[in-house]
Amino acid sequence: QVQLQESGPGLVKPSQTLSLTCTVSGGSISSGSYYWSWIRQPAGKGLEWIGRIYTSGSTNYNPSLKSRVTISVDTSKNQFSLKLSSVTAADTAVYYCARASIDCSGGSCYSEDYWGQGTLVTVSS
Amino acid sequence: DIQMTQSPSSLSASVGDRVTITCQASQDISNYLNWYQQKPGKAPKLLIYDASNLETGVPSRFSGSGSGTDFTFTISSLQPEDIATYYCQQYDNLPPTFGQGTKLEIK
């Protein structure tokens, strides 16, 4: 059973860079059958898709964040990471990492089916 | 971005009731629609994919229907453990976008 776990600082100062890592266990991040996503949720609000990375390194980002976001993968550590630069209070949220299959023959695909528990990041001085 | 509009935003129902939530897309998304359940303090859980397919292990009281721009999510007989917020999500176009959520409470 695959599991995902977010880690990183819970407090980031305004204008600095938010950095989070998602560690994947119970499966290899190198499998070409999946992509790996970041999604966030401000307190009491809805969900916002940040972006995704394929094992090949190919990425897609939400245009609303694209200028500030970098998602990368480290297959040797079975991890992928999120960097969000120039943060403001509006970036305060619970950040989730998730996995989605790109193989549509076995059930859901292009739909995040495994999620981490989420980590709260607060932007404040 | 494709806008997803859910209704109602909140809903109060009794155990055993049939509950229906609707989701409307701002443009045709075919059947590229998911429904997620999120309980307080937890990550969202995928319930329905491709508008009407039940994810493995999800109880059969949950169902979904629709295509194009109009979609429906139904709980046939509400159970106490179904108290949660439900989100629709389109994945036809990037970026994937979510509805604003429907908070379901027990009467």
Side-chain angles (χ1 to χ4, degrees), chain A residues 45-78:
Chain A
K45 296 189 178 180
L47 298 155
E48 180 180 32
W49 187 85
I50 299 170
R52 68 186 179 197
I53 188 165
Y54 292 80
T55 306
S56 63
S58 174
T59 55
N60 299 109
Y61 299 134
N62 191 321
S64 68
L65 298 168
K66 187 174 183 177
S67 64
R68 300 194 290 131
V69 172
T70 302
I71 297 176
S72 59
V73 63
D74 186 337
T75 55
S76 67
K77 294 182 179 179
N78 229 35

Side-chain angles (χ1 to χ4, degrees), chain A residues 41 47 49 96 107 111-112 116, chain B residues 34 36 38 42-43 87 96 98:
Chain A
Q41 184 174 37
L47 298 155
W49 187 85
Y96 295 99
S111 305
E112 281 75 6
Chain B
N34 295 324
Y36 287 91
Q38 186 178 33
K42 300 294 186 182
Y87 294 93
F98 294 86

